[in-house]
PDB file of all heavy atoms in Angstrom:
ATOM      1  N   ARG B  21      32.497   4.823  32.168  1.00 97.00           N
ATOM      2  CA  ARG B  21      33.324   4.167  33.184  1.00 97.00           C
ATOM      3  C   ARG B  21      33.332   2.642  33.049  1.00 97.00           C
ATOM      4  O   ARG B  21      34.376   2.003  33.186  1.00 97.00           O
ATOM      5  CB  ARG B  21      32.811   4.554  34.571  1.00 97.00           C
ATOM      6  CG  ARG B  21      33.672   4.087  35.730  1.00 97.00           C
ATOM      7  CD  ARG B  21      33.118   4.572  37.051  1.00 97.00           C
ATOM      8  NE  ARG B  21      31.834   3.985  37.392  1.00 97.00           N
ATOM      9  CZ  ARG B  21      30.675   4.639  37.466  1.00 97.00           C
ATOM     10  NH1 ARG B  21      30.633   5.935  37.208  1.00 97.00           N
ATOM     11  NH2 ARG B  21      29.554   4.012  37.780  1.00 97.00           N
ATOM     12  N   SER B  22      32.182   2.051  32.753  1.00 97.00           N
ATOM     13  CA  SER B  22      32.059   0.599  32.896  1.00 97.00           C
ATOM     14  C   SER B  22      31.742  -0.158  31.617  1.00 97.00           C
ATOM     15  O   SER B  22      31.900  -1.373  31.584  1.00 97.00           O
ATOM     16  CB  SER B  22      30.940   0.278  33.906  1.00 97.00           C
ATOM     17  OG  SER B  22      31.179   0.926  35.129  1.00 97.00           O
ATOM     18  N   VAL B  23      31.276   0.525  30.605  1.00 98.00           N
ATOM     19  CA  VAL B  23      30.774  -0.215  29.440  1.00 98.00           C
ATOM     20  C   VAL B  23      31.598   0.034  28.183  1.00 98.00           C
ATOM     21  O   VAL B  23      31.891  -0.889  27.428  1.00 98.00           O
ATOM     22  CB  VAL B  23      29.294   0.151  29.171  1.00 98.00           C
ATOM     23  CG1 VAL B  23      28.760  -0.612  27.965  1.00 98.00           C
ATOM     24  CG2 VAL B  23      28.440  -0.129  30.403  1.00 98.00           C
ATOM     25  N   ARG B  24      31.990   1.261  27.973  1.00 97.00           N
ATOM     26  CA  ARG B  24      32.634   1.623  26.713  1.00 97.00           C
ATOM     27  C   ARG B  24      33.786   0.676  26.354  1.00 97.00           C
ATOM     28  O   ARG B  24      33.865   0.166  25.216  1.00 97.00           O
ATOM     29  CB  ARG B  24      33.160   3.057  26.760  1.00 97.00           C
ATOM     30  CG  ARG B  24      33.830   3.488  25.463  1.00 97.00           C
ATOM     31  CD  ARG B  24      34.581   4.799  25.626  1.00 97.00           C
ATOM     32  NE  ARG B  24      33.706   5.947  25.718  1.00 97.00           N
ATOM     33  CZ  ARG B  24      33.195   6.574  24.644  1.00 97.00           C
ATOM     34  NH1 ARG B  24      33.486   6.156  23.430  1.00 97.00           N
ATOM     35  NH2 ARG B  24      32.421   7.617  24.803  1.00 97.00           N
ATOM     36  N   ALA B  25      34.665   0.428  27.303  1.00 97.00           N
ATOM     37  CA  ALA B  25      35.846  -0.396  27.022  1.00 97.00           C
ATOM     38  C   ALA B  25      35.478  -1.840  26.675  1.00 97.00           C
ATOM     39  O   ALA B  25      36.242  -2.538  26.007  1.00 97.00           O
ATOM     40  CB  ALA B  25      36.790  -0.375  28.228  1.00 97.00           C
ATOM     41  N   LEU B  26      34.303  -2.273  27.128  1.00 98.00           N
ATOM     42  CA  LEU B  26      33.883  -3.645  26.869  1.00 98.00           C
ATOM     43  C   LEU B  26      33.308  -3.828  25.465  1.00 98.00           C
ATOM     44  O   LEU B  26      33.278  -4.947  24.950  1.00 98.00           O
ATOM     45  CB  LEU B  26      32.815  -4.077  27.891  1.00 98.00           C
ATOM     46  CG  LEU B  26      33.212  -4.052  29.365  1.00 98.00           C
ATOM     47  CD1 LEU B  26      32.012  -4.399  30.239  1.00 98.00           C
ATOM     48  CD2 LEU B  26      34.365  -5.010  29.626  1.00 98.00           C
ATOM     49  N   VAL B  27      32.827  -2.768  24.875  1.00 98.00           N
ATOM     50  CA  VAL B  27      32.076  -2.925  23.620  1.00 98.00           C
ATOM     51  C   VAL B  27      32.740  -2.256  22.413  1.00 98.00           C
ATOM     52  O   VAL B  27      32.393  -2.569  21.270  1.00 98.00           O
ATOM     53  CB  VAL B  27      30.635  -2.393  23.765  1.00 98.00           C
ATOM     54  CG1 VAL B  27      29.879  -3.213  24.801  1.00 98.00           C
ATOM     55  CG2 VAL B  27      30.609  -0.914  24.136  1.00 98.00           C
ATOM     56  N   GLU B  28      33.668  -1.339  22.663  1.00 97.00           N
ATOM     57  CA  GLU B  28      34.365  -0.694  21.553  1.00 97.00           C
ATOM     58  C   GLU B  28      35.723  -1.353  21.366  1.00 97.00           C
ATOM     59  O   GLU B  28      36.348  -1.742  22.355  1.00 97.00           O
ATOM     60  CB  GLU B  28      34.565   0.801  21.839  1.00 97.00           C
ATOM     61  CG  GLU B  28      33.258   1.579  21.873  1.00 97.00           C
ATOM     62  CD  GLU B  28      33.494   3.083  22.049  1.00 97.00           C
ATOM     63  OE1 GLU B  28      34.647   3.537  21.910  1.00 97.00           O
ATOM     64  OE2 GLU B  28      32.528   3.782  22.331  1.00 97.00           O
ATOM     65  N   PRO B  29      36.217  -1.480  20.164  1.00 97.00           N
ATOM     66  CA  PRO B  29      35.587  -1.024  18.916  1.00 97.00           C
ATOM     67  C   PRO B  29      34.792  -2.120  18.203  1.00 97.00           C
ATOM     68  O   PRO B  29      34.265  -1.877  17.126  1.00 97.00           O
ATOM     69  CB  PRO B  29      36.805  -0.639  18.068  1.00 97.00           C
ATOM     70  CG  PRO B  29      37.847  -1.639  18.475  1.00 97.00           C
ATOM     71  CD  PRO B  29      37.615  -1.900  19.951  1.00 97.00           C
ATOM     72  N   GLU B  30      34.701  -3.296  18.815  1.00 98.00           N
ATOM     73  CA  GLU B  30      34.090  -4.431  18.110  1.00 98.00           C
ATOM     74  C   GLU B  30      32.653  -4.157  17.675  1.00 98.00           C
ATOM     75  O   GLU B  30      32.181  -4.707  16.685  1.00 98.00           O
ATOM     76  CB  GLU B  30      34.111  -5.688  18.991  1.00 98.00           C
ATOM     77  CG  GLU B  30      35.497  -6.239  19.286  1.00 98.00           C
ATOM     78  CD  GLU B  30      36.187  -5.502  20.425  1.00 98.00           C
ATOM     79  OE1 GLU B  30      35.575  -4.573  21.005  1.00 98.00           O
ATOM     80  OE2 GLU B  30      37.344  -5.840  20.732  1.00 98.00           O
ATOM     81  N   ASN B  31      31.967  -3.361  18.448  1.00 98.00           N
ATOM     82  CA  ASN B  31      30.548  -3.116  18.169  1.00 98.00           C
ATOM     83  C   ASN B  31      30.275  -1.713  17.637  1.00 98.00           C
ATOM     84  O   ASN B  31      29.125  -1.244  17.685  1.00 98.00           O
ATOM     85  CB  ASN B  31      29.728  -3.354  19.440  1.00 98.00           C
ATOM     86  CG  ASN B  31      29.727  -4.806  19.863  1.00 98.00           C
ATOM     87  OD1 ASN B  31      29.040  -5.627  19.266  1.00 98.00           O
ATOM     88  ND2 ASN B  31      30.528  -5.140  20.872  1.00 98.00           N
ATOM     89  N   ASP B  32      31.297  -1.071  17.144  1.00 98.00           N
ATOM     90  CA  ASP B  32      31.102   0.296  16.643  1.00 98.00           C
ATOM     91  C   ASP B  32      29.971   0.345  15.613  1.00 98.00           C
ATOM     92  O   ASP B  32      29.906  -0.502  14.702  1.00 98.00           O
ATOM     93  CB  ASP B  32      32.386   0.830  16.009  1.00 98.00           C
ATOM     94  CG  ASP B  32      33.377   1.316  17.056  1.00 98.00           C
ATOM     95  OD1 ASP B  32      33.084   1.175  18.257  1.00 98.00           O
ATOM     96  OD2 ASP B  32      34.445   1.824  16.672  1.00 98.00           O
ATOM     97  N   GLY B  33      29.116   1.312  15.769  1.00 97.00           N
ATOM     98  CA  GLY B  33      27.994   1.495  14.843  1.00 97.00           C
ATOM     99  C   GLY B  33      26.716   0.819  15.296  1.00 97.00           C
ATOM    100  O   GLY B  33      25.641   1.128  14.796  1.00 97.00           O
TER     101      GLY B  33
END
Side-chain angles (χ1 to χ4, degrees):
Chain B
R21 187 177 66 247
S22 305
V23 180
R24 181 191 286 276
L26 300 176
V27 297
E28 293 185 12
E30 294 82 1
N31 293 284
D32 280 3

